[in-house]
Amino acid sequence: MIKTEKILHLKSHRGRKVRVVREHYLRERIPCYSSLCQADCENDGKVLPGDLTHYVVPDVGVVVDFLEILEFRELQGVVFTQTACQAVQHSKGRRQYNRLRNLIKDPRHDCVLFANEFQEYSYCPREKGESQEKWQTRCVYSAAVWYHTHLAGMMDVVMITEDQDAVAQFSSLNAGVYVISVQDFLQNFWPELQAAHELYSSISQALQEKESESSQKEYTEHLPAEILEAGIKSGRYIKGTLNINKHHDEASIMTEGLSNKNNDLSWGVLVCGNKNRNRAVHGDTVVVELLPKSEWRGKVTALSEEEEKSGEENESKPMPTGRVVGILQRNWRDYVVTFPPRDATQSQSRNSQRILAIPWDRRIPKIRISTQQADALQDHRVVVRIDSWESTSLYPNGHSVRVLGRAGELETEVQTILIENCIHVPPFSDAQLREMPVNSPEKPWRMDPVQVAERRDLRETHLVFSIDPRGCEDVDDTLSVRSIDGGKLLELGVHIADVTHFVTEGSLTDLEARMRSTTYYLADRRYDMLPAVLSADLCSLLGGVDRYAMSVMWELDAQTLAVNKVWYGRTVIRSSYQLHYELAQALLNGEPAEVPELAQLEPEEKDAKLAELTQALETLTHVARHLRAQRDRGGALELEGVEVRAQLDEQRNITALVPRQPLEVHETVAECMIYANHWVARKIQETFPHQALLRRHPPPRQEFFSQLVESGKAVGFTIDTRTNKALADSLDRAVDPQDQLVNKMLRMMATTAMSQALYFSTGLESQDQYYHYGLALDRYTHFTSPIRRYADMVVHRLLTAALDVERGTDSGKSLASNKELEELAQHINNKNRAAQRAQKLSTVLFQCLYFKERDPQTDQQCVADAVVYSIRNNGLLVFIPEYGVKGPVYLKNREGQVVSAGQDGSCEWQSGSLRHHSDHISTTSSCGTSTFRLFDHITVRISVRSTSSHADSLNLEVISNKPHRSAEPQQPHSQGRSQLVQEVVRLAEEAHQQAQEKAARRPKLSREEREFSQSKTPNLYSLLEEVRELALMDLDMAAQVCVTSA
């Protein structure tokens, strides 16, 4: 080991240059992480393969500016130097540095880190007068030469740089070490990697035009970090995450931890306007300074359209208002933008290629992009990344990454939703699929006899069955119940797919599942967390096949249903019946129903087995009612959400958007799953008190219940929100016998007021914080869906480890630390929120798809009954039960006219005034006064508001202040929906015939479909395109098209 000194010239937070001298130790033996190594280096972990043509050593400038290109998995044998990594940390900040570290650690990427500055023969001391950039380039070249020499010339080394002087200086110094530009590297070694070429061009253009066109400052400079930190500690400044309102030009900063010290801050801090946001983007962690109280403003309470201006009369009472003085953490991500038409902005002249692209997300400012494809990409959705936002620029600068497709096309819009929610779901790689077991007709999968011997075998002793949605492929839970000990005891069993048997911790498949964290369900497709051989086959507890399971089984007293003992363990099961919810409910109701598994049996045997199954379902329902009653006594809440699913036919055509109809069997299955999750949570928490993954639901803040309390009061109900028990009892009493929707709406308001349930590590919170408010349970986790939730896989491993501890056996695997588990919990929480947002946006997309191109003036499907659930300054918020749609209804337009209702209830726009009250709103015109009250039923017309830059949205217009079809009782499946389904199905069949005629002339699946399809059943996107074109046009026009095609 050799001791030397390293002199660093750093810049302080205040901008002063600081000279730092540090001791520096050099070693001869530093790991090279190459499989070709002949020097016995201690290469623990990832190693570079020896079957490549060359290794790649990127220069500092390449790593700093072109890291996105180095993230392509196609690029193999990449050696990142310590010099380059430190440069990223100092010049790009912690976020980019962590991104580089994660890339190096990820086993899916073929790259390593070489500590070149500690290697005796590759270290280069900085020469006097040498610039930092030249020294860094020399260090990287020295590392490249060392690699070639260390590997005895068996591997060529290519150093890539953007420094043309370095290319000229070093390219011919050493045989086997080549120094070329990034562009030459891509053209010579990766000519077919078109995405990398386009990305390189985009980043290069952005770097060339990075200098601002103007030196005039548009925004104030951010304060140095040390001043911000001192201000936060003293209380002068407030730290929080910026949350921009997509409807108004205002943002809020949620101030966790400060609301207890300062009641004024309980609702956060308001930040109004771009200037006060000071270049902060939605999601950034910022520091704000409060403005004087005389400048405080209130949140806008009026419904807002894009061009409307808000005035003081449309604001709530003043609240703390501030301005951003610094940004602690940029949380920039990939953004989807649309290039506007040529004449839409002055910056797009023929001599300029700088475009102000409009983000799909209204909360994001326009992004200035440099591109050579301005004309070709008009009206296309393009993925961009922000590079910088200087104080001299009104807008951030960025570069394009890739083109998604033309705006408005179904596949483009779906991919937009995924990218906007940071959902990355590429096809599973060959390396991941090679880890999977094989199950094919030629080589069927069979159980391992050793595994069977180690497990409890339930195949011959227990009647096991599943109850899932119709057509479910990923069946991850089954149930069993039987009478034992002469009828004195009941045995209830919950059996869950043993996914962790097939997915080894730390494997490529496990890392991919961890990255996704959940299966993403959209309106017309799903993106699985696990490969289909597991999710839809070997881990799916299908009927009539042997499967591995993780089981929880309770021995209950048959009379009191008290728990005598609980057994946890790995089992072997064979599900006898694969039921769907409607079939199970029909059996419980005593209705005639055909069970597919019994169809081929003789009548006598069939009746006996049907009776056995029905008895098991009835017993299960009895137990579930008891479990629910127990939780109800503890204060469990029955909340209401808007759950709408796209109903598809066998050809994957959309036939309807159907709100979910609740059945008792839904609650029966849910109670059993909740019970299993609760008992597993108890087990792992008691065994690992500081390292268990649980799920908590914090009590909501009381101020969030204000709308619920006021709405209940308006219809004569008192809603007590002090505890979950009081809230549950209040909601149970708040029933209007004349209108069942009142209770539904109140429960929806209660759901909206709730805080979000979160995963956490038990080592982070005290035990009184484990409580789940909604379920009224002291401990809770997720165990029952490991096929589609990564959290459940973590819990399965914890339960297995707990059982090993109980048996006194050592598995040899170390558990994740509290810190590691908490980081994983935060990652899963973020992915779950993204999945929920994507599912909601996908539903809205298909809701718009129904009504687009229909004539709202003549098509009766565009007219529906709506319930008023909130009063605003200039309109109403309504819920449409038939379609599961929520949205605003304006009572005052931009011209100042108000809605006036005639004697027959019909509404029209007239000059007049509007008066707003807490529980009703009145309009006055020459025709008289019209009043709209909370929970009134009104008739609305549905149309689609389309823009090229943003997502389509539904526009609701009141056409009558009376209920729609008031003479007809509201049925779950209304006649209007039935007609809609029949019409769309008929048109879909015609579209299917046309698609079959075209099949010979074009491939069945396009490149995009092959790239993104992940389910076992393929999604026929081409057919959906036909549906979009035909099913949503006028009927007369559709008939003409069909006749012409025939």
Side-chain angles (χ1 to χ4, degrees), residues 458-459 464 478 495 541 545-547 549 571-575:
L458 308 180
R459 289 176 289 182
V464 178
T478 55
H495 316 283
L541 307 180
V545 293
D546 295 346
R547 290 290 182 259
T571 55
V572 178
I573 66 167
R574 182 186 300 132
S575 177

Side-chain angles (χ1 to χ4, degrees), residues 575-809:
S575 177
S576 299
Y577 303 99
Q578 192 174 339
L579 308 176
H580 56 80
Y581 286 119
E582 292 76 13
L583 175 57
Q585 190 64 56
L587 293 173
L588 283 168
N589 296 343
E591 300 168 2
E594 188 65 41
V595 180
E597 291 85 352
L598 303 180
Q600 304 302 320
L601 299 182
E602 296 295 327
E604 186 175 341
E605 184 182 5
K606 179 178 179 179
D607 291 343
K609 287 189 173 292
L610 187 61
E612 180 188 32
L613 174 61
T614 304
Q615 178 61 46
L617 288 171
E618 290 173 349
T619 304
L620 199 66
T621 304
H622 170 65
V623 173
R625 287 171 180 167
H626 171 78
L627 298 177
R628 175 71 205 200
Q630 276 186 321
R631 291 197 304 109
D632 283 345
R633 288 193 291 272
L637 295 170
E638 182 182 346
L639 300 176
E640 189 75 43
V642 182
E643 186 174 336
V644 182
R645 63 180 177 86
Q647 185 171 296
L648 307 176
D649 62 16
E650 293 179 358
Q651 287 77 37
R652 311 293 291 173
N653 295 320
I654 313 158
T655 58
L657 284 178
V658 183
R660 179 185 175 188
Q661 301 302 320
L663 303 171
E664 185 182 17
V665 72
H666 288 142
E667 191 171 310
T668 298
V669 175
E671 281 303 323
C672 294
M673 298 304 117
I674 291 170
Y675 203 50
N677 289 333
H678 169 59
W679 279 89
V680 170
R682 290 177 55 172
K683 181 69 175 178
I684 62 175
Q685 187 271 329
E686 289 167 1
T687 308
F688 307 114
H690 304 295
Q691 294 166 279
L693 183 71
L694 299 190
R695 187 167 174 84
R696 67 190 182 98
H697 184 205
R701 290 161 58 171
Q702 286 299 307
E703 54 264 31
F704 289 169
F705 284 124
S706 57
Q707 182 189 355
L708 172 64
V709 173
E710 291 298 323
S711 298
K713 185 178 179 182
V715 286
F717 299 118
T718 301
I719 308 296
D720 187 349
T721 63
R722 288 174 295 178
T723 66
N724 54 353
K725 172 67 173 161
L727 176 59
D729 291 344
S730 298
L731 291 173
D732 288 342
R733 290 192 296 267
V735 176
D736 184 346
Q738 304 300 319
D739 188 357
Q740 296 299 316
L741 278 173
V742 170
N743 187 261
K744 180 183 179 77
M745 300 304 298
L746 291 173
R747 291 184 186 276
M748 286 171 60
M749 292 178 198
T751 304
T752 304
M754 291 293 144
S755 52
Q756 196 162 28
L758 300 168
Y759 297 107
F760 71 101
S761 172
T762 50
L764 187 73
E765 303 284 351
S766 58
Q767 194 157 345
D768 61 326
Q769 297 298 311
Y770 296 178
Y771 187 68
H772 197 292
Y773 178 88
L775 298 177
L777 294 171
D778 60 343
R779 281 161 291 186
Y780 191 68
T781 192
H782 274 160
F783 162 77
T784 54
S785 294
I787 290 178
R788 59 185 179 87
R789 289 191 303 234
Y790 190 74
D792 301 56
M793 290 176 59
V794 175
V795 170
H796 276 231
R797 289 171 179 147
L798 285 168
L799 179 59
T800 302
L803 297 177
D804 288 341
V805 170
E806 192 176 81
R807 290 191 293 263
T809 58

Side-chain angles (χ1 to χ4, degrees), residues 800-820:
T800 302
L803 297 177
D804 288 341
V805 170
E806 192 176 81
R807 290 191 293 263
T809 58
D810 184 8
S811 63
K813 297 179 180 178
S814 59
L815 295 176
S817 66
N818 172 51
K819 181 181 179 182
E820 292 170 336

Side-chain angles (χ1 to χ4, degrees), residues 51-56 76-78 155-158 185 189-190:
D51 58 354
L52 303 177
T53 59
H54 63 276
Y55 288 164
V56 183
Q76 296 179 300
V78 181
M155 180 65 68
D156 289 342
V157 178
V158 177
F185 171 73
F189 292 98
W190 298 100

Side-chain angles (χ1 to χ4, degrees), residues 733-965:
R733 290 192 296 267
V735 176
D736 184 346
Q738 304 300 319
D739 188 357
Q740 296 299 316
L741 278 173
V742 170
N743 187 261
K744 180 183 179 77
M745 300 304 298
L746 291 173
R747 291 184 186 276
M748 286 171 60
M749 292 178 198
T751 304
T752 304
M754 291 293 144
S755 52
Q756 196 162 28
L758 300 168
Y759 297 107
F760 71 101
S761 172
T762 50
L764 187 73
E765 303 284 351
S766 58
Q767 194 157 345
D768 61 326
Q769 297 298 311
Y770 296 178
Y771 187 68
H772 197 292
Y773 178 88
L775 298 177
L777 294 171
D778 60 343
R779 281 161 291 186
Y780 191 68
T781 192
H782 274 160
F783 162 77
T784 54
S785 294
I787 290 178
R788 59 185 179 87
R789 289 191 303 234
Y790 190 74
D792 301 56
M793 290 176 59
V794 175
V795 170
H796 276 231
R797 289 171 179 147
L798 285 168
L799 179 59
T800 302
L803 297 177
D804 288 341
V805 170
E806 192 176 81
R807 290 191 293 263
T809 58
D810 184 8
S811 63
K813 297 179 180 178
S814 59
L815 295 176
S817 66
N818 172 51
K819 181 181 179 182
E820 292 170 336
L821 195 60
E822 182 56 30
E823 288 177 354
L824 176 59
Q826 292 301 324
H827 170 75
I828 296 174
N829 289 333
N830 291 336
K831 289 297 182 181
N832 282 347
R833 282 191 285 265
Q836 292 167 5
R837 289 193 299 266
Q839 187 173 26
K840 181 179 178 181
L841 289 169
S842 172
T843 300
V844 172
L845 171 64
F846 278 84
Q847 286 171 339
C848 291
L849 188 62
Y850 274 113
F851 299 105
K852 200 171 187 178
E853 307 302 332
R854 292 183 179 274
D855 185 355
Q857 301 298 326
T858 59
D859 195 325
Q860 286 304 304
Q861 302 304 326
C862 297
V863 179
D865 186 70
V867 184
V868 178
Y869 71 88
S870 182
I871 306 292
R872 295 299 173 90
N873 285 22
N874 60 341
L876 317 164
L877 290 176
V878 302
F879 173 64
I880 304 175
E882 184 175 359
Y883 297 117
V885 169
K886 283 182 176 181
V889 172
Y890 292 91
L891 299 182
K892 185 176 182 179
N893 62 19
R894 295 172 184 171
E895 288 73 36
Q897 295 177 316
V898 298
V899 168
S900 177
Q903 293 294 326
D904 60 351
S906 60
C907 296
E908 59 182 16
W909 293 102
Q910 291 191 353
S911 299
S913 60
L914 183 148
R915 295 191 63 184
H916 164 263
H917 304 274
S918 61
D919 62 343
H920 68 277
I921 187 169
S922 300
T923 63
T924 303
S925 66
S926 58
C927 295
T929 299
S930 305
T931 301
F932 299 84
R933 301 183 182 277
L934 275 175
F935 305 114
D936 276 359
H937 287 249
I938 62 175
T939 302
V940 297
R941 178 180 290 120
I942 308 170
S943 58
V944 177
R945 183 188 292 115
S946 295
T947 66
S948 60
S949 303
H950 308 291
D952 291 346
S953 59
L954 294 180
N955 179 59
L956 308 181
E957 179 186 3
V958 58
I959 58 175
S960 173
N961 65 355
K962 298 184 183 301
H964 182 50
R965 297 173 182 167

Side-chain angles (χ1 to χ4, degrees), residues 411 525 1003-1014 1019-1025:
E411 190 60 37
R525 68 190 76 179
K1004 188 174 183 181
L1005 294 175
S1006 68
R1007 178 183 63 80
E1008 289 82 3
E1009 294 157 2
R1010 287 195 300 273
E1011 181 180 352
F1012 294 107
S1013 176
Q1014 299 218 357
N1019 291 303
L1020 301 182
Y1021 298 109
S1022 56
L1023 191 53
L1024 282 173
E1025 283 300 308

